[in-house]
Amino acid sequence: MSTLQLKMGLTDRVAKYSRYLLLLPGFVLLLLFLLIPLSMIVGISFFERFTVTGPENLTLKNYVAFFTSPQTPVILLNTFGMSLLACLIAFLLGYPMAYFLVFRVKSARVRFFVVSLLLVPFLIDWSVRVVAWLPILGESGIINYALMSWGVIKEPLELLFGRSALLIIWPQTYLLWMIFPSYLALTRIDPDIINAAKVLKAPPHRVFFDITFKLSLPGVVMGFIFVFVSALGDYVTPALWAGGIQTLGLSVANYAANFVWPYAAALSTILVAIALLILYVLLKVVDIKKLVY
Amino acid sequence: MGKALETKELVKWYGKEVLALNKVTFDIDAGDFFVIVGPSGCGKSTLLKIIAGILDYDSGKLYINGVDMKGVPSYKRDVSMMLEMYALFPHMNVFDNVAFGLRMLGKDKSEIEKEVKEALRLVGLAGLEKRMPLELSGGQRQRVALARALVINPSVLLLDEPLSHVDYRLQRKLMEDLKEIHRKVGNTFILTTHVQEHALSLADTVMVMNTGVIEQIGKPEEVYTTPATVFAARFVGEINLFSAQIKSWDGGLCYLTTDIGELKANPKNKNTLPSSGKVAYAIRPEYVKIGEEARLCDNKTEAKLVSYYYFGHYMEYVFEAIGNTKIKVSVPTEKVGNLTLGSTYLLGWSAKDVLLIERPCMIEGLNIEEVIYGK
Ligand SMILES: Nc1ncnc2c1ncn2[C@@H]1O[C@H](COP(=O)(O)OP(=O)(O)OP(=O)(O)O)[C@@H](O)[C@H]1O
Ligand SMILES: [Mg+2]
């Protein structure tokens, strides 16, 4: 009897732990390519120099330098302000599209077709997509040409080479990251829940804000995170099109290119820390726990 | 008395395949307790959703309190509804779910609090205000949905299967409560069920439905004692049905040929019946007598007892007559004798208790045997 018990105990335990095996490949990848490099970066940021022989002189100098620089407020604003604004614009453009697809397009086939269309830009090489903005947003690009020939404006708008470029390019580039999770969250809503709100006397705007929108919030938050993180990580667009404005990502790239590893590492750490803080506040405010039912 | 609801030839298609409502025409008096009963998939929910304004119909007319409802959105109709699958708001607790409608109507806070409390007490959920829908049992969710529809107190209240997921005792209590609320507020209740007992005991008026059509509308006693079609007879209450051929009429008495031999009938609806042709010969189980009592009846047949079901206050025996024809007999418990399975007994019933039904059902093209012996 005791051997039987032992056996049962063993298989039970194997069964209990074996489900964690599913996590193993992902965990190994995370460890190798994210956690280890990230902790190395954080580690390096606390040294004065990083040479072939290794790090030298433990110090907080890098952080002090960053936070006392007069440039810092502008850089932070460029980085996080622009990314958040891009999220907001992507939301304002993307959410109505997702809503329309789910609630106004009756045919599942058409819906699938439109979603597939949204993926087409991703088939075009990234470098082409980045450069293609010139003939569209440039001084003699399509938009300025159209606006001027319709007489809406006299002088070409300066759409590129300024912050406005980021607010056009980022939302466009990452629109799908907003549409997709919103779309999925909206399709998950039981139509009878919306019906229930209607029969309980809710006018259309209350049905939307009290029920539909609230229930789709997990998807919207997901979309926000996707767009936010993508925009934060993109330093090429600011470098090419934003007319010399500085962002944290850009600074990291610059310092890293000049082998000033510790300072680049400190900037990266600050970038990640503030990003995490913003995400944390976002999740707190939305209280996503209550919505993920 | 005014009409709370009128429909004229309502038609509803789902896609091109499913005809859920086929020219449904009926009306409901204001203040009626109207129960729609019918088998699963016959279109009860579809009809209620159309009345509530959350589903569009293809053609026909719908009036609520005399007003044409075409294009009137749900929130502007003096109607509320409890949906079949409850559809509670998953992100709101029980209190907020029930308060939702009152908030939409712009009631003030103290009033909302009072009415929600009262509604929850009524459905037996007092004290669960803070629970989330996911933390409730199926029956509790159903009662939240019921309370949520009740508090709005509209002139027409639609309840789609409000009693299906609660235990028997609670069903009885909720039925009593519903009747009492209905008496007190005097508004119109439209309730659906596929349980015929609920229909018979709750309703002022019963409507029997069959895939997209109305079989019969009437008082519960009317539907039970004079079913308009074989379908209605089968669906409301237990009944023995034999396919029969009218041989002749003699005065009020009809002579028929059936699978179990020659039988007589003296039906109440004799002036609506044809002089010959096929009909359904129907006798309710409570009118069939066994043994000595049967000797005096004008219809008799020998049959073997094959099984029985005990229902507490009555016993239902199932006999088999010639040609494997089943005959059900129900006997009040205090009158139950000592019968042995497998033995043969004499069964009998009086011609005046027999119903003859000419029409199989309201769907065209079905022959009477198909309906009598089930689909
Ligand atoms: N959204 C839909 N799309 C297609 N067919 C539907 C849809 N909803 C219902 N139907 C069909 O319409 C018919 C009527 O459905 P309905 O839900 O009204 O039946 P019901 O009488 O309420 O049944 P139950 O007692 O099972 O709730 C059924 O045949 C059903 O399959
Ligand atoms: Mg239904």
Side-chain angles (χ1 to χ4, degrees):
Chain A
M1 194 187 102
S2 62
T3 48
L4 187 67
Q5 261 180 352
L6 200 66
K7 255 192 195 156
M8 298 260 295
L10 195 64
T11 44
D12 274 358
R13 244 177 300 159
V14 170
K16 192 171 155 201
Y17 290 114
S18 63
R19 56 200 163 127
Y20 292 111
L21 280 176
L22 286 175
L23 294 176
L24 197 61
F27 184 72
V28 167
L29 270 180
L30 262 179
L31 191 72
L32 277 180
F33 297 110
L34 189 74
L35 291 179
I36 294 178
L38 199 64
S39 19
M40 279 168 69
I41 287 172
V42 175
I44 291 168
S45 73
F46 290 102
F47 289 93
E48 202 172 325
R49 270 185 303 281
F50 188 78
T51 62
V52 268
T53 54
E56 293 167 10
N57 289 352
L58 209 55
T59 177
L60 280 174
K61 233 171 80 183
N62 298 318
Y63 290 94
V64 175
F66 178 76
F67 285 110
T68 52
S69 154
Q71 289 287 324
T72 297
V74 181
I75 290 186
L76 286 181
L77 205 65
N78 285 341
T79 311
F80 296 101
M82 288 293 115
S83 299
L84 284 174
L85 265 179
C87 286
L88 193 66
I89 294 169
F91 167 75
L92 291 177
L93 296 174
Y95 191 84
M97 281 180 78
Y99 185 92
F100 182 84
L101 277 175
V102 175
F103 293 108
R104 295 286 178 273
V105 180
K106 290 264 153 55
S107 144
R109 210 180 302 164
V110 173
R111 230 184 282 163
F112 184 77
F113 180 71
V114 174
V115 174
S116 315
L117 275 188
L118 291 172
L119 283 165
V120 168
F122 286 79
L123 299 175
I124 299 163
D125 188 70
W126 182 79
S127 54
V128 176
R129 277 198 290 147
V130 169
V131 179
W133 285 108
L134 192 59
I136 298 172
L137 299 177
E139 243 173 68
S140 48
I142 297 169
I143 293 191
N144 274 320
Y145 179 80
L147 289 178
M148 286 204 300
S149 56
W150 291 332
V152 183
I153 50 173
K154 293 214 167 53
E155 297 286 302
L157 292 174
E158 222 178 275
L159 297 171
L160 284 178
F161 309 116
R163 291 197 178 86
S164 58
L166 297 181
L167 298 185
I168 297 170
I169 296 175
W170 275 345
Q172 192 282 334
T173 312
Y174 304 123
L175 192 58
L176 195 68
W177 299 138
M178 181 58 79
I179 292 179
F180 220 71
S182 306
Y183 173 85
L184 287 181
L186 286 168
T187 48
R188 261 183 37 145
I189 300 174
D190 178 357
D192 267 350
I193 288 179
I194 293 168
N195 282 337
K198 289 182 185 165
V199 297
L200 294 171
K201 308 285 140 242
H205 69 279
R206 296 300 298 265
V207 176
F208 177 73
F209 286 109
D210 289 29
I211 308 295
T212 316
F213 182 64
K214 278 212 177 128
L215 290 177
S216 69
L217 263 180
V220 173
V221 169
M222 211 43 104
F224 246 89
I225 294 173
F226 285 171
V227 177
F228 182 60
V229 169
S230 304
L232 275 184
D234 175 15
Y235 62 88
V236 176
T237 307
L240 276 179
W241 300 127
I245 75 158
Q246 277 297 318
T247 67
L248 263 180
L250 211 49
S251 307
V252 172
N254 283 338
Y255 285 105
N258 293 312
F259 305 107
V260 193
W261 296 116
Y263 195 65
L267 293 182
S268 305
T269 308
I270 291 164
L271 180 69
V272 172
I274 297 180
L276 288 178
L277 188 73
I278 291 178
L279 294 183
Y280 176 79
V281 171
L282 187 66
L283 293 182
K284 269 280 156 197
V285 170
V286 175
D287 193 8
I288 208 160
K289 247 191 302 182
K290 218 170 149 185
L291 289 166
V292 184
Y293 43 87
Chain B
M1 195 183 285
K3 297 283 181 210
L5 186 100
E6 287 164 87
T7 75
K8 292 219 164 56
E9 310 217 316
L10 274 185
V11 173
K12 172 66 190 174
W13 284 90
Y14 286 113
K16 292 193 179 69
E17 300 289 315
V18 185
L19 178 56
L21 296 178
N22 185 4
K23 298 196 180 160
V24 169
T25 303
F26 67 102
D27 45 40
I28 301 178
D29 288 335
D32 205 7
F33 199 132
F34 191 88
V35 177
I36 303 172
V37 62
S40 186
C42 71
K44 304 183 293 290
S45 300
T46 303
L47 183 55
L48 253 53
K49 284 183 170 181
I50 287 175
I51 298 170
I54 49 181
L55 194 63
D56 230 348
Y57 48 94
D58 296 310
S59 65
K61 290 264 179 226
L62 169 69
Y63 302 92
I64 296 176
N65 299 325
V67 183
D68 189 346
M69 285 293 126
K70 188 77 200 171
V72 178
S74 193
Y75 75 100
K76 287 190 180 154
R77 300 186 181 191
D78 196 1
V79 165
S80 86
M81 174 169 176
M82 171 194 170
L83 287 129
E84 185 171 13
M85 298 313 288
Y86 327 147
L88 299 183
F89 305 127
H91 57 306
M92 297 181 192
N93 65 23
V94 169
F95 183 94
D96 291 334
N97 261 282
V98 180
F100 185 85
L102 297 172
R103 288 189 180 130
M104 292 303 134
L105 292 175
K107 300 242 169 136
D108 62 68
K109 226 176 152 195
S110 59
E111 198 175 347
I112 290 175
E113 190 129 338
K114 206 182 97 228
E115 286 181 30
V116 172
K117 277 243 157 65
E118 171 59 20
L120 285 175
R121 193 195 54 76
L122 199 68
V123 297
L125 289 180
L128 295 188
E129 286 86 352
K130 288 276 161 319
R131 292 270 192 97
M132 298 303 281
L134 259 195
E135 301 163 349
L136 299 173
S137 74
Q140 288 170 332
R141 282 179 214 174
Q142 192 163 29
R143 282 179 282 155
V144 175
L146 179 59
R148 192 172 71 167
L150 279 175
V151 278
I152 294 184
N153 198 13
S155 81
V156 178
L157 180 63
L158 307 167
L159 303 168
D160 201 359
E161 314 236 357
L163 303 170
S164 57
H165 279 102
V166 293
D167 62 83
Y168 179 76
R169 278 255 65 86
L170 196 54
Q171 267 181 13
R172 291 302 302 259
K173 183 188 168 298
L174 287 176
M175 278 164 72
E176 279 164 30
D177 290 344
L178 282 177
K179 271 199 152 169
E180 195 182 318
I181 296 167
H182 176 253
R183 251 197 314 271
K184 260 201 302 220
V185 292
N187 45 11
T188 310
F189 278 32
I190 308 178
L191 181 148
T192 69
T193 175
H194 47 246
V195 184
Q196 38 126 342
E197 287 91 347
H198 295 165
L200 292 177
S201 43
L202 274 174
D204 296 331
T205 310
V206 177
M207 172 162 114
V208 184
M209 272 186 85
N210 181 9
T211 25
V213 299
I214 298 171
E215 289 285 333
Q216 186 171 10
I217 300 179
K219 292 199 170 62
E221 313 86 89
E222 245 167 58
V223 176
Y224 189 79
T225 55
T226 50
T229 62
V230 177
F231 181 91
R234 262 176 63 115
F235 202 78
V236 177
E238 286 295 341
I239 198 156
N240 294 299
L241 285 160
F242 315 118
S243 148
Q245 186 83 35
I246 297 179
K247 239 175 38 185
S248 63
W249 285 90
D250 180 11
L253 210 59
C254 181
Y255 293 85
L256 306 102
T257 324
T258 73
D259 295 347
I260 56 169
E262 308 278 306
L263 294 174
K264 289 185 247 8
N266 184 5
K268 294 183 194 74
N269 58 338
K270 48 181 75 82
N271 28 18
T272 66
L273 288 164
S275 54
S276 64
K278 268 191 183 161
V279 291
Y281 183 100
I283 179 85
R284 298 267 181 206
E286 61 268 29
Y287 292 118
V288 183
K289 312 273 190 289
I290 308 171
E292 275 311 311
E293 275 184 277
R295 263 175 227 298
L296 306 168
C297 297
D298 40 8
N299 289 295
K300 288 190 266 288
T301 183
E302 299 251 296
K304 193 170 80 179
L305 180 61
V306 290
S307 62
Y308 60 86
Y309 301 92
Y310 180 56
F311 285 98
H313 53 299
Y314 72 97
M315 180 78 101
E316 183 180 289
Y317 294 106
V318 181
F319 291 89
E320 215 170 76
I322 11 171
N324 290 335
T325 310
K326 295 263 189 327
I327 302 176
K328 290 179 193 154
V329 183
S330 62
V331 182
T333 308
E334 72 273 13
K335 290 197 184 157
V336 164
N338 232 343
L339 303 189
T340 10
L341 275 179
S343 305
T344 301
Y345 295 90
L346 185 68
L347 303 181
W349 56 88
S350 163
K352 69 171 175 32
D353 295 327
V354 174
L355 308 168
L356 293 185
I357 310 167
E358 191 193 359
R359 183 140 200 186
C361 64
M362 293 299 176
I363 299 173
E364 306 292 329
L366 282 179
N367 88 36
I368 200 157
E369 270 103 1
E370 281 175 305
V371 181
I372 292 175
Y373 299 117
K375 305 175 197 170

